Amino acid sequence: MEKRLDGSILPFFGSRFPKMNQEIKMQISASSSIFRGDINESISLGDVLETLSSRKKTGWLFLQRENQEVYLYIKGDLIGLVTVPESKFRLLPEKLHHIGKLSQEDCKKAKGDQNLVKFLVSRLGNEEISASLGKICYDMICTFYSWKNATFKFIDENAVEKKEREYPFGTLFPIPSLLMEAAQRLDE
């Protein structure tokens, strides 16, 4: 994992966390540090997030669907994305060019640069890049709201050794407002 110029963490692609078991069954225990089950027609991601939020839990929520895995961090009623698929991140120069923040020339240079983040920060500054990454993360979390036939696993922060912990590189978003936004997008 890299550090931003200001010392904060840059996104990483992948995770040291173990992959979830395909045959996860619902298991909720007050004394357990793990909460897991299936996201389906009966239990939505919104239900899971509301439960974790209302209990002011802190830890990682792993979502898996077919060949997709997502790692989220929850802290009380806040949520953040721990991993960003590189394919989404690689689209950032084009998005920045499209909204007039990056020239066509710099867009082409950014696509060819091995250290995309450093290049973009050198052109636009850390705040602009952080805000753009935050928007990408927010949008991605909203898309998970529509997932059906997925599994989830929440691991309490205290159950993970400090050296193994991975935290979101961007903004933590309020769960209640994110759920309302995700529901509106799903209705559209």
Side-chain angles (χ1 to χ4, degrees):
M1 187 166 5
E2 296 182 52
K3 297 279 185 177
R4 288 188 179 145
L5 297 179
D6 66 354
S8 57
I9 298 172
L10 287 175
F12 67 95
F13 311 106
S15 177
R16 294 185 299 216
F17 289 117
K19 291 186 179 238
M20 292 189 298
N21 185 335
Q22 289 284 351
E23 296 179 16
I24 293 174
K25 300 294 179 202
M26 181 63 111
Q27 174 186 334
I28 304 172
S29 168
S31 62
S32 175
S33 60
I34 297 178
F35 168 46
R36 57 175 131 201
D38 296 317
I39 295 172
N40 52 42
E41 296 299 323
S42 301
I43 299 174
S44 70
L45 178 58
D47 296 331
V48 173
L49 292 177
E50 286 175 359
T51 299
L52 295 170
S53 176
S54 69
R55 293 184 181 184
K56 301 293 184 204
K57 293 292 188 178
T58 298
W60 293 270
L61 181 63
F62 303 90
L63 305 175
Q64 185 176 31
R65 176 178 81 164
E66 297 168 4
N67 294 330
Q68 295 178 288
E69 283 188 330
V70 177
Y71 305 98
L72 303 163
Y73 179 73
I74 295 177
K75 184 174 184 174
D77 67 346
L78 300 173
I79 188 169
L81 189 60
V82 176
T83 56
V84 176
E86 191 168 4
S87 60
K88 294 281 186 189
F89 187 68
R90 288 275 164 204
L91 297 176
L92 188 56
E94 290 176 17
K95 288 183 178 196
L96 291 168
H97 172 67
H98 181 71
I99 62 172
K101 302 269 182 179
L102 195 64
S103 71
Q104 180 69 33
E105 181 182 335
D106 281 344
C107 182
K108 287 179 184 177
K109 285 180 185 177
K111 288 180 186 179
D113 198 299
Q114 291 288 41
N115 195 329
L116 177 61
V117 173
K118 281 186 182 177
F119 178 85
L120 292 173
V121 168
S122 72
R123 295 299 195 268
L124 301 173
N126 198 33
E127 284 185 33
E128 182 69 43
I129 299 307
S130 293
S132 296
L133 290 173
K135 174 82 171 107
I136 289 171
C137 292
Y138 187 87
D139 289 344
M140 286 184 66
I141 295 170
C142 283
T143 64
F144 306 143
Y145 184 81
S146 66
W147 280 19
K148 303 289 184 237
N149 301 318
T151 57
F152 71 88
K153 180 177 178 180
F154 176 80
I155 300 177
D156 192 274
E157 186 173 54
N158 295 324
V160 178
E161 291 184 37
K162 285 190 179 190
K163 67 179 182 178
E164 294 295 319
R165 295 177 182 178
E166 299 288 351
Y167 294 95
F169 62 89
T171 306
L172 291 175
F173 307 103
I175 291 173
S177 60
L178 185 128
L179 289 176
M180 286 186 353
E181 172 73 20
Q184 287 175 343
R185 290 182 184 191
L186 196 58
D187 288 343
E188 293 175 354

